[in-house]
Amino acid sequence: MVTTSAFPDPLAIYVHVPFCARRCHYCDFPTVAGSDEWIPAYFEALRHEITGCAERGRPVGSVYFGGGTPSHVPVAHIRNTLGLIRDTFSVESAAEITLEANPASAQAPSLAAYRQAGINRLSIGVQSFRDETLRSLGRLHSADEARDAILEARSAGFDNISVDLIFGCPGQSLEDVLHDVAAAIAMETEHLSTYALTVEPSTPLADMVACGAAVLPDESVTAAMYSDIIDRLEAAGYEHYEVSNFALPGYRSRHNTAYWTDMEYIGFGAGSASYAHGVRKVNVRTPMEYVRRYRGGSSPVAETETLTPTQRLAEAIILGLRLREGIDETRLRNRFGSDTLRTLEPAFSRQVAAGTIERASGRLRLTRRGLLIADTVLADLIPG
Ligand code: SF4
């Protein structure tokens, strides 16, 4: 393991694994299905990017294998990549190391192997505990397989499990969503992420909605779903600590919190983003182009941008308000200056008067009303 004390703040490391067994109807992530022959070359390119990283040697507080479907690739690739990250960076002994798993591919032997490799947190893409909803999304697994994956993860020794749920799905009612939330609470997972379905252009779901084959709930119903999810999970003891995220005490996601608190992060793999020393970089989106760049000896970075002070302020506001504890006004003032903050005061006052933002104990935070229209509120607040 490399050690250094030159950098006090630990990095968050993200590794993108872009392979899936099949594309879900709503997916527009940088992933591929039916291209497993690219897996070995992709991990070879990843190895090259990790060992050549300019930030090597820095302390690391979290590692996150996301996708795509990391549980779709042979476990050895995950184990070797994690070993390489440990050899290249100074990964803290208490680092949070997460792997995203799909119920269709998270079976007992591989779950035990992940645990042995040092993965200590599992994020399971359940999405729903109703077969009808899962079919409407084009998911490969059933509700029973989702429950089995959670139980098998427990048997494999995972004591920090997160479950993803989607609401606002085609044909879904408020009762269906509350059924999903009740089922998730019954599984006693430590963390839950709940996302409103978005219909991205050029996805099969967009075509299904356009031709009437899929009918989405009204906006008012989707807002009621979100509001009821918050109430049910808070009543069950979950802390609503970020717009879409809930955790039992002590189980907030350290990795995602690094993004929301404006800390530095490094992404490896196709479509991944990095942010360090005020510079944001994004890699080429497709895994094939990522491999081709590696083979041709060129950088996988497709975009590099040095953030201006205005962009950094906008990010600090957008990300900070996603956290339920909100933004520390003194910290914001110290970082960006009183004059800059004064220019935002009219927008803050406008939103406070509208009941979407509240000021308390030196912090600015979204109210429940603000949460329901967060995009509109943020559009008013961010500097132009
Ligand atoms: S499993 Fe996730 S990444 Fe893969 S196709 Fe479905 S939504 Fe997209």
Side-chain angles (χ1 to χ4, degrees):
M1 179 186 289
V2 182
T3 57
T4 176
S5 58
F7 303 97
D9 288 332
L11 282 172
I13 287 185
Y14 175 81
V15 181
H16 190 61
V17 182
F19 302 96
C20 293
R22 192 180 75 186
R23 294 280 285 177
C24 302
H25 296 336
Y26 57 96
C27 184
D28 84 329
F29 300 134
T31 62
V32 289
S35 300
D36 290 1
E37 68 278 12
W38 285 85
I39 292 174
Y42 182 81
F43 277 88
E44 179 58 22
L46 264 182
R47 191 187 66 75
H48 192 257
E49 190 185 11
I50 291 167
T51 53
C53 178
E55 306 300 323
R56 58 188 175 275
R58 283 185 62 170
V60 168
S62 64
V63 180
Y64 193 104
F65 289 89
T69 308
S71 59
H72 178 68
V73 305
V75 177
H77 287 307
I78 302 294
R79 185 172 44 235
N80 295 343
T81 304
L82 182 54
L84 191 64
I85 289 170
R86 288 189 192 283
D87 290 343
T88 309
F89 297 87
S90 179
V91 179
E92 293 175 359
S93 57
E96 177 188 275
I97 303 179
T98 305
L99 180 120
E100 285 183 353
N102 189 321
S105 55
Q107 267 97 40
S110 50
L111 289 167
Y114 296 138
R115 194 71 197 88
Q116 277 167 8
I119 305 289
N120 55 26
R121 182 173 183 271
L122 218 54
S123 173
I124 303 180
V126 168
Q127 316 310 353
S128 173
F129 288 99
R130 293 182 71 253
D131 287 336
E132 210 181 338
T133 304
L134 290 168
R135 275 194 297 274
S136 79
L137 296 172
R139 299 291 300 190
L140 265 178
H141 64 273
S142 66
D144 283 345
E145 284 173 318
R147 284 191 191 85
D148 288 348
I150 296 169
L151 295 174
E152 283 172 5
R154 285 280 186 238
S155 300
F158 283 97
D159 56 7
N160 189 354
I161 299 175
S162 180
V163 156
D164 283 357
L165 293 179
I166 298 184
F167 62 96
C169 302
Q172 198 180 32
S173 68
L174 183 57
E175 289 69 35
D176 296 338
V177 169
L178 295 181
H179 166 275
D180 280 347
V181 172
I185 292 170
M187 298 305 295
E188 299 181 336
T189 58
E190 287 73 22
H191 190 278
L192 279 153
S193 300
T194 62
Y195 301 103
L197 179 69
T198 50
V199 181
E200 302 293 349
S202 307
T203 57
L205 180 62
D207 295 340
M208 290 158 73
V209 170
C211 74
V215 179
L216 299 174
D218 285 349
E219 254 179 49
S220 62
V221 175
T222 307
M225 289 172 174
Y226 180 48
S227 200
D228 282 7
I229 287 170
I230 296 171
D231 290 341
R232 296 291 167 103
L233 289 176
E234 285 186 339
Y238 288 86
E239 217 187 337
H240 183 203
Y241 73 101
E242 195 267 350
V243 171
S244 305
N245 287 279
F246 302 81
L248 292 178
Y251 287 96
R252 292 183 181 197
S253 162
R254 181 174 179 184
H255 184 81
N256 288 335
T257 300
Y259 296 141
W260 300 320
T261 52
D262 216 10
M263 289 174 70
E264 294 188 326
Y265 53 87
I266 300 294
F268 295 117
S272 66
S274 302
Y275 174 67
H277 314 294
V279 178
R280 184 166 45 208
K281 295 179 184 172
V282 182
N283 280 353
V284 290
R285 191 172 159 89
T286 74
M288 291 75 182
E289 180 59 15
Y290 178 76
V291 169
R292 275 193 282 270
R293 293 253 184 142
Y294 153 65
R295 286 179 173 160
S298 58
S299 162
V301 175
E303 296 164 32
T304 302
E305 182 182 27
T306 301
L307 298 190
T308 64
T310 305
Q311 285 173 312
R312 294 176 75 161
L313 174 60
E315 293 230 329
I317 291 172
I318 292 169
L319 297 172
L321 283 178
R322 288 193 67 88
L323 286 170
R324 297 301 295 120
E325 62 203 23
I327 300 172
D328 181 333
E329 288 196 73
T330 305
R331 187 163 175 249
L332 205 62
R333 194 172 297 110
N334 290 343
R335 197 164 157 217
F336 296 101
S338 301
D339 289 348
T340 307
L341 266 281
R342 251 193 300 279
T343 64
L344 292 176
E345 196 50 47
F348 283 140
S349 301
R350 203 163 41 240
Q351 294 299 333
V352 169
T356 56
I357 281 191
E358 62 190 5
R359 280 189 143 123
S361 310
R363 301 190 82 90
L364 279 165
R365 66 191 291 267
L366 289 172
T367 61
R368 173 69 70 98
R369 183 171 141 67
L371 271 175
L372 298 177
I373 52 166
D375 289 347
T376 310
V377 177
L378 292 172
D380 185 33
L381 290 179
I382 55 175

